[in-house]
Amino acid sequence: MGFNLQYKGYGYLVEADIKGFFDTVDHAWLQQMLAQRIDNKRLRSLIQQWLKAEVVKPGRKGRAMLIRYCDDFVVAFQLRQDAHAFYRTLPQRQAKFNLAIAPEKTRLMRFSRFHPGTQHCFRFLGLEFYWSTDRRKQARWCCRISTNKQHELMSTVYRWIKLNRHQRLSCLMPAFKRKLVGIANYFGLPDNSRSLTRLYRHVVHSLYKWLNRRSQRHSYNWIGLKAVLNYYGIQPLRVWNDTMLW
């Protein structure tokens, strides 16, 4: 996705979410679509998910790109008229399959190197994507953890530390490290270092708070906590590679 957005000249984007997809997906339509691709009836009876939906491109004049994960998807267009045509017909297209678009999560927007700034961003899979400029003043797409997702991660880790603070450090700290590694593996994308730093500071402060509430006496100062983090190999969250494209 990153390579195409950076170099293929897309200028418009439709960000969409299917409302209650897994609760409202029409099983009859699902079986018909599976039957077009799978001849084995026994196998079809075992499949409980929609593997691939048909993509229709009526009258499209420029390039288009679909990026989909479960019920969330974005479609990038080179030309404005193609984007508007898709956006207008999307609700009717979904209604044909007894599905509905979530209006609060669906919009048509300008997304182009000629319109940089976080005010022109779209959200997908917990990340915000936007155009900015690099150190050489050249346009490039960037990403960061979305605000809602960052608050969710902070709250989740905070609650986990609070519930597990009474465990021995030999159990607590390796599990804490695994959580941080999982976050870094998913969100350690280029241009996301500030978000990761903010998240890491929050969870370390949460750890400091709840370790010192395990008993009536103050168990750790900051020097002691840093020593514990170093002992268990817990390092600040980092991006993978400052130059890579996702």
Side-chain angles (χ1 to χ4, degrees):
M1 181 175 70
F3 180 87
N4 282 285
L5 290 177
Q6 179 76 31
Y7 297 111
K8 296 296 185 180
Y10 295 105
Y12 298 87
L13 188 137
V14 175
E15 176 186 10
D17 178 88
I18 299 177
K19 184 177 180 180
F21 175 80
F22 294 103
D23 297 324
T24 60
V25 60
D26 191 305
H27 287 227
W29 272 112
L30 178 63
Q31 291 295 333
Q32 291 184 40
M33 292 182 177
L34 291 177
Q36 295 177 8
R37 296 166 173 84
I38 302 174
D39 293 330
N40 191 316
K41 294 183 179 180
R42 182 173 297 178
L43 178 60
R44 290 205 307 267
S45 66
L46 298 176
I47 296 177
Q48 300 297 320
Q49 60 182 354
W50 194 342
L51 297 178
K52 185 178 181 182
E54 180 185 4
V55 177
V56 178
K57 302 176 284 187
R60 181 170 55 81
K61 299 179 180 180
R63 286 190 298 271
M65 174 178 61
L66 168 68
I67 309 101
R68 177 177 62 87
Y69 183 81
C70 295
D71 60 334
D72 292 328
F73 63 91
V74 295
V75 188
F77 295 90
Q78 180 185 15
L79 301 179
R80 180 177 182 271
Q81 57 266 38
D82 289 339
H84 278 270
F86 177 84
Y87 186 70
R88 287 195 306 268
T89 59
L90 183 59
Q92 293 86 355
R93 177 67 180 170
Q94 296 299 317
K96 179 180 178 180
F97 303 104
N98 296 324
L99 298 172
I101 292 296
E104 70 281 3
K105 297 181 180 180
T106 303
R107 58 176 176 154
L108 169 63
M109 60 176 294
R110 188 77 163 99
F111 189 77
S112 166
R113 64 177 65 240
F114 304 110
H115 295 78
T118 55
Q119 69 273 23
H120 298 285
C121 74
F122 72 92
R123 298 166 184 85
F124 188 57
L125 303 181
L127 294 164
E128 292 180 350
F129 297 87
Y130 59 97
W131 279 96
S132 185
T133 54
D134 59 18
R135 290 184 291 268
R136 296 174 293 178
K137 304 300 181 182
Q138 294 183 350
R140 64 188 300 268
W141 73 280
C142 304
C143 68
R144 64 184 181 185
I145 304 175
S146 68
T147 302
N148 290 342
K149 190 63 177 181
Q150 187 165 52
H151 290 165
E152 178 187 333
L153 288 171
M154 288 178 174
S155 178
T156 299
V157 177
Y158 180 91
R159 291 196 303 269
W160 181 86
I161 294 172
K162 180 180 178 180
L163 291 173
N164 293 276
R165 66 187 185 276
H166 296 298
Q167 292 188 21
R168 292 183 176 182
L169 290 182
S170 58
C171 297
L172 177 66
M173 298 309 292
F176 179 68
K177 180 179 180 179
R178 288 193 296 271
K179 288 186 176 296
L180 293 183
V181 170
I183 292 172
N185 286 343
Y186 186 87
F187 292 103
L189 299 170
D191 308 301
N192 203 23
S193 58
R194 289 185 180 180
S195 298
L196 291 178
T197 298
R198 191 179 305 116
L199 177 60
Y200 180 77
R201 287 175 178 172
H202 176 84
V203 299
V204 169
H205 276 79
S206 302
L207 183 67
Y208 178 81
K209 171 183 176 178
W210 289 110
L211 286 182
N212 280 312
R213 293 192 179 185
R214 300 206 298 181
S215 63
Q216 293 183 348
R217 66 186 184 89
H218 197 74
S219 302
Y220 294 95
N221 56 26
W222 280 107
I223 296 177
L225 180 61
K226 289 179 180 179
V228 171
L229 294 174
N230 289 334
Y231 179 81
Y232 287 98
I234 298 174
Q235 300 295 325
L237 300 175
R238 306 291 186 190
V239 299
W240 305 334
N241 188 320
D242 287 337
T243 60
M244 69 175 293
L245 284 174
W246 189 41

